[in-house]
Amino acid sequence: MNTLRHDDASAAEFRDALVDTLLANKMITSPVVERAFRTVPRHLFVAEGTPLDVTYNVDQSVAIKRDPDGVIISSTSAAYIQARMIEQAELGPGMSVLEIGSGGFNAALLAEVVGPDGQVVSVDIDPEVTDRASELLDATGYGSRVTVVQADAENPLPGLDEPVDAILVTVGAWDLAPAWLEHLSEGGRIVVPLRMNGITRVICFRREGDHLVSTSAEVAGFVPMQGRGARDERVFLLPDRNGHHVKLRFEEDVSADVSLLDGVLATERTEVWSGVTIKHGVSFADLHLWFAALLPGFCKLAVDEGTDMAAERKGWFPFGVVRGDSFAYLAVRPVPEGGGVEFGARAYGVHGEAAAAAMVEQIQAWDRQGRDVEPTFAYWPTGSQRPEFGKDTAVLVKTHGLTTIAWPSAADAAAGQGALHNPEK
């Protein structure tokens, strides 16, 4: 248990400053969520000794547990995304909510939001995490208002007999477990950090009959799901001339023969530029999602220090595409007179220019049809009555169903680029 007790007035000042920032940035939009964040002492749920400025930082998560390699496997999420997820779920007094992934603090917030007549159940696969959450909830007065369960939430939870109004998943999920949908009421909402070909969006889905439709989405990252719902990436190492590696990380099944890339880093690098620009400080996270949905062969990249790519780190981003014996990755170069940067692609391999051109074509399509446009998402469980998906809809096959992503104007983009990648065809 965290026995650290910062001066109450000092902690309250940090907490109020955090809430003021969340309100100003419209991350908190309802009085009931504001009151919860002003009430629950976040500093009593993080590791002892964590400074108040770190604890009450708007966009900084705080580690709870690491694996033997030092990788974070449980954390208290950044305050902004906790606020957004509760707002996305549209929770209020008297409602019932299931939290998948425990830590204690978020469950206490939920207890404040649903009030004494509501119900909060928090489940985690790790007994150390649930023991810690239970202890901290007891110590802060929320023990009687939150039921903590140690279990793999991929399975139906015993004792949860009535459907809940909302489910908040606080770990990165590759798919939606059928058990979650069994626990969700008709018209209920599930807020889940859903991984789609390596790119995560925190999506609020509303249940509509036999499927789910999105009502909102946020950009954030989460520690990955453990247990039966875990999904490992496939990582391929490309050695350079000095024995360092570029790592290609695929989340979907790799249909191409990646062995064709042996020795690719010894080839001459090529590049293709798109003419598409963006100003400094402007987010282009929607381009990442566009790639993940519409660019066959999409992967994420990581590089060892010592590689040529590492030395040029400020000029590229870790999103790539494989085309046979070649691969390309997203690059930028400055626009004259400080106007921002231009997107393009750099590539290695005999057919590197073609790989770079494929990425640039999607950059240009995104600029025409997907830029600053909010896509909509849907989830179709196995057995649901699915419509005929049009060419304006990207389809990602999951274990227990399909995720679809649609941009309002994607049909026009498809006419110029060919039909979007649809795994069912």
Side-chain angles (χ1 to χ4, degrees):
M1 175 180 150
N2 182 357
T3 58
L4 181 63
R5 296 292 187 270
H6 292 288
D7 174 74
D8 289 342
S10 180
E13 289 178 6
F14 275 93
R15 187 160 58 252
D16 284 339
L18 168 64
V19 177
D20 291 344
T21 299
L22 294 171
L23 286 167
N25 294 332
K26 294 182 170 44
M27 296 168 180
I28 291 178
T29 56
S30 61
V32 67
V33 177
E34 176 188 356
R35 184 182 61 79
F37 270 82
R38 291 197 189 278
T39 302
V40 181
R42 182 178 170 97
H43 62 285
L44 299 185
F45 288 90
V46 298
E48 184 171 356
T50 304
L52 286 174
D53 61 342
V54 173
T55 300
Y56 288 102
N57 186 290
V58 68
D59 57 6
Q60 186 169 348
S61 62
V62 183
I64 292 176
K65 184 178 179 179
R66 299 177 185 268
D67 69 11
D69 295 324
V71 177
I72 297 173
I73 57 175
S74 181
S75 67
T76 299
S77 299
Y80 89 91
I81 197 59
Q82 290 179 312
R84 290 306 310 140
M85 290 178 74
I86 297 173
E87 294 284 15
Q88 283 179 281
E90 299 185 15
L91 290 169
M95 297 180 72
S96 56
V97 56
L98 169 63
E99 179 193 40
I100 297 172
S102 292
F105 175 67
N106 196 62
L109 290 173
L110 295 172
E112 286 287 347
V113 169
V114 303
D117 295 327
Q119 177 190 22
V120 179
V121 177
S122 181
V123 61
D124 199 284
I125 194 172
D126 189 332
E128 290 185 7
V129 171
T130 53
D131 287 348
R132 179 183 183 277
S134 294
E135 187 176 4
L136 293 174
L137 289 164
D138 285 340
T140 52
Y142 293 97
S144 63
R145 300 169 63 180
V146 177
T147 301
V148 179
V149 179
Q150 188 272 312
D152 186 339
E154 191 80 359
N155 306 313
L157 295 179
L160 195 60
D161 300 323
E162 297 294 328
V164 296
D165 298 308
I167 298 174
L168 269 65
V169 183
T170 62
V171 289
W174 186 80
D175 197 3
L176 275 62
W180 303 349
L181 305 188
E182 291 177 16
H183 289 308
L184 188 64
S185 64
E186 179 60 37
R189 296 172 185 261
I190 178 168
V191 183
V192 54
L194 186 62
R195 284 164 41 202
M196 294 167 287
N197 205 7
I199 303 300
T200 297
R201 289 293 178 271
V202 181
I203 304 171
C204 179
F205 287 109
R206 182 181 66 248
R207 186 166 203 158
E208 289 194 0
D210 65 356
H211 67 286
L212 306 171
V213 295
S214 67
T215 60
S216 62
E218 301 284 344
V219 177
F222 280 78
V223 299
M225 181 80 66
Q226 300 178 54
R228 288 181 55 216
R231 172 84 173 194
D232 294 330
E233 293 179 320
R234 297 185 65 185
V235 180
F236 295 89
L237 303 181
L238 305 180
D240 70 3
R241 62 183 180 275
N242 297 316
H244 302 298
H245 291 92
V246 171
K247 304 177 181 69
L248 304 184
R249 299 161 48 200
F250 296 87
E251 187 163 280
E252 302 297 333
D253 291 333
V254 182
S255 57
D257 184 358
V258 184
S259 66
L260 294 175
L261 293 171
D262 289 347
V264 70
L265 295 179
T267 63
E268 184 177 353
R269 193 185 74 186
T270 57
E271 55 188 45
V272 179
W273 296 96
S274 68
V276 177
T277 63
I278 192 168
K279 294 181 179 179
H280 293 298
V282 177
S283 172
F284 52 95
D286 49 348
L287 175 59
H288 311 162
L289 182 64
W290 183 277
F291 283 155
L294 307 180
L295 183 60
F298 174 79
C299 63
K300 296 175 72 175
L301 281 71
V303 299
D304 291 346
E305 292 299 329
T307 60
D308 292 339
M309 287 178 63
E312 303 169 354
R313 198 182 302 275
K314 292 184 179 180
W316 61 275
F317 294 88
F319 307 102
V321 60
V322 170
R323 285 287 190 275
D325 58 4
S326 305
F327 81 97
Y329 54 96
L330 179 65
V332 293
R333 64 181 180 183
V335 173
E337 301 180 0
V341 295
E342 178 187 3
F343 291 116
R346 297 193 177 105
Y348 288 93
V350 175
H351 300 95
E353 187 171 350
M359 177 166 270
V360 164
E361 286 173 2
Q362 289 299 340
I363 294 170
Q364 293 167 338
W366 164 79
D367 184 55
R368 292 192 305 269
Q369 306 295 341
R371 191 168 186 164
D372 301 321
V373 175
E374 293 294 331
T376 56
F377 306 85
Y379 185 82
W380 304 85
T382 299
S384 58
Q385 295 296 314
R386 301 167 185 167
E388 183 69 27
F389 298 119
K391 61 185 180 181
D392 60 341
T393 299
V395 180
L396 302 178
V397 177
K398 301 292 185 176
T399 302
H400 305 298
L402 302 176
T403 298
T404 59
I405 313 172
W407 283 264
S409 301
D412 293 336
Q417 297 296 320
L420 303 185
H421 178 54
N422 188 330
E424 286 205 322
K425 294 184 177 180

